Amino acid sequence: MEPLQHTPSTHVLIVGAGFAGAMTAVRLAGRSGGRVHVTVVNPRPQFVNRLRLHQQAVGRAVPAPHLRDLLGPDVTILEGTVTGLDPDAGRATVSGPDGTHTLGFDHVVLATGSVTQPVPVPGGEHTHAVASLEASDRLGAALGDLPAGADVAVVGGGFTGLETVGELAEARPDLAVRLVTSGEVGGWFTDRAAAFVRTRLDRLGVEAVGGARVRAVEHDRLHLDDGGEVSSDLTVWCGGFAAPPLAREAGLAVDDAGAVRTDAGLRSVSHPQVLAVGDAGHTEAPAGGRYSMSCQFALPSGAHAADVLRAEALGTGSAGPFDLGFVGRTVSLGSQAAVLQPTTRDDVATGRALTGPVARAAKRFQVRGVVSAIGLSRRVPGAIRWGGSGHRADTTPARMAG
Ligand SMILES: Cc1cc2nc3c(=O)[nH]c(=O)nc-3n(C[C@H](O)[C@H](O)[C@H](O)COP(=O)(O)OP(=O)(O)OC[C@H]3O[C@@H](n4cnc5c(N)ncnc54)[C@H](O)[C@@H]3O)c2cc1C
């Protein structure tokens, strides 16, 4: 039976309306029976599908749904940036188009995502990024100014670096595009998929420079640890993501990358009235290490935070620990190729990867599906479900999130 509608007794502030924050908002507003007033603060009124920012940078059109439509009428949306947080006093400072003001809250959910700036090597200010809409727009403008034959380097061979270099090389075959990575190119994948990644990059004309750690950046070159240099008129830094400084500045316990250290219930270990989800939260996975920054973590962690806060507001007992099992990764290499790599539930590449039309379709489904999952959760608030890690005795392996 649905709970009766009540006057809100709890005010939850969600900082950031990306995948994790938007999911928390719709699920909490939809499932709390009117007991919780949900406010979301986000720098802009549109939803940014971060999975497509590297495509946006090369001029591909990317839909940007209005947050009002995505989150629905039960969520209060404030355009602005939270510039300060006092978790003990339950106050946030918000700067937006209407100036700066203070907002009170009972609980706050930090869903601020991650950034690649500032780049942690000398000369990092010369680099571009794809981690935010603003960075992607700046990169797009800079690419537009680059003459044919110019050197471009993408630093970082993780998923974002691979997808970015593939997109750049396809869109601008007139440039000399390199991927510079400290690891082995495609090294995370199983052997067959790694070979496919290397072949595909080669076909796109990308020169892959593996085992090369960048020690400094200049406006026209990269300096490597081994003394070598790579020419680069434009460098895109995809070499490691960190949380924005807000949590650290608020005095929360954070890890080296500035992400909020949480317990298994996604609450800050230093300030339990604060929850952290998505890239902003460092939650220990049952097998050890933090859950990888990904949509596979962002959406379920956002949903679980909603369940934690709902249980508290409604007095229905604990939502239990968060538990997630990964299933696979889809990585695109330009618009014409993708890899669908199965993983263990602990996010380790395993089994036979797909590289044909099924992989391309899976990638297309993923980039649209992550946004659709939020819309679906607004209409059917308990809709999304996810599998467990198989490590916890206190949760079922395939959890119903309804
Ligand atoms: C180019 C690219 C491709 C990617 N591809 C994949 C992929 O294929 N698969 C995958 O799983 N992951 C991928 N990722 C990673 C994935 O995008 C992130 O893990 C995911 O977006 C995390 O979700 P989030 O909600 O934590 O953060 P975000 O989606 O980044 O949302 C954070 C939101 O918080 C807002 N915000 C930040 N600070 C404040 C503040 N102080 N006040 C108010 N609002 C604030 C931001 O503006 C943003 O709207 C990719 C990332 C990039 C950059």
Side-chain angles (χ1 to χ4, degrees), residues 29-42:
R31 299 190 77 218
S32 61
R35 292 262 191 184
V36 180
H37 182 190
V38 180
T39 300
V40 169
V41 180
N42 197 63

Side-chain angles (χ1 to χ4, degrees), residues 145-166:
D145 290 342
L146 267 192
D151 293 302
V152 172
V154 174
V155 179
F159 304 122
T160 308
L162 288 174
E163 292 206 339
T164 301
V165 84

Side-chain angles (χ1 to χ4, degrees), residues 202-264:
D202 195 45
R203 283 212 189 126
L204 286 167
V206 174
E207 183 188 338
V209 186
R213 185 170 290 280
V214 175
R215 121 180 114 69
V217 182
E218 281 188 72
H219 69 279
D220 63 350
R221 76 196 64 195
L222 307 175
H223 295 276
L224 306 180
D225 254 358
D226 64 4
E229 290 184 2
V230 173
S231 298
S232 178
D233 302 305
L234 185 152
T235 300
V236 187
W237 193 271
C238 301
F241 289 79
L246 180 66
R248 190 192 298 274
E249 288 168 3
L252 300 168
V254 295
D255 67 10
D256 291 345
V260 179
R261 289 191 178 279
T262 79
D263 62 17

Side-chain angles (χ1 to χ4, degrees), residues 13-261:
L13 171 64
I14 301 172
V15 187
F19 295 107
M23 178 56 77
T24 306
V26 291
R27 188 163 165 119
L28 183 57
R31 299 190 77 218
S32 61
R35 292 262 191 184
V36 180
H37 182 190
V38 180
T39 300
V40 169
V41 180
N42 197 63
R44 64 197 74 79
Q46 291 83 20
F47 179 82
V48 172
N49 184 344
R50 226 173 148 215
L51 269 51
R52 304 199 59 182
L53 285 178
H54 56 310
Q55 298 174 335
Q56 191 151 334
V58 298
R60 285 174 65 179
V62 175
H66 207 286
L67 281 175
R68 170 55 53 228
D69 298 330
L70 193 64
L71 305 185
D74 296 335
V75 174
T76 301
I77 301 167
L78 288 182
E79 189 181 336
T81 300
V82 172
T83 53
L85 201 61
D86 184 340
D88 295 320
R91 278 199 301 263
T93 307
V94 181
S95 296
D98 303 331
T100 298
H101 59 276
T102 301
L103 200 63
F105 58 81
D106 298 304
H107 299 277
V108 61
V109 179
L110 282 186
T112 47
S114 58
V115 292
T116 51
Q117 311 284 2
V119 169
V121 299
E125 67 276 10
H126 296 301
T127 64
H128 282 270
V130 288
S132 70
L133 181 64
E134 295 74 16
S136 162
D137 286 346
R138 278 195 297 274
L139 171 59
L143 279 169
D145 290 342
L146 267 192
D151 293 302
V152 172
V154 174
V155 179
F159 304 122
T160 308
L162 288 174
E163 292 206 339
T164 301
V165 84
E167 210 68 48
L168 277 174
E170 182 179 287
R172 289 292 305 269
D174 57 322
L175 300 173
V177 179
R178 296 183 181 86
L179 176 68
V180 181
T181 174
S182 57
E184 189 190 337
V185 177
W188 175 85
F189 295 87
T190 51
D191 289 350
R192 183 174 169 271
F196 175 81
V197 168
R198 289 192 287 270
T199 304
R200 186 68 205 169
L201 292 182
D202 195 45
R203 283 212 189 126
L204 286 167
V206 174
E207 183 188 338
V209 186
R213 185 170 290 280
V214 175
R215 121 180 114 69
V217 182
E218 281 188 72
H219 69 279
D220 63 350
R221 76 196 64 195
L222 307 175
H223 295 276
L224 306 180
D225 254 358
D226 64 4
E229 290 184 2
V230 173
S231 298
S232 178
D233 302 305
L234 185 152
T235 300
V236 187
W237 193 271
C238 301
F241 289 79
L246 180 66
R248 190 192 298 274
E249 288 168 3
L252 300 168
V254 295
D255 67 10
D256 291 345
V260 179
R261 289 191 178 279

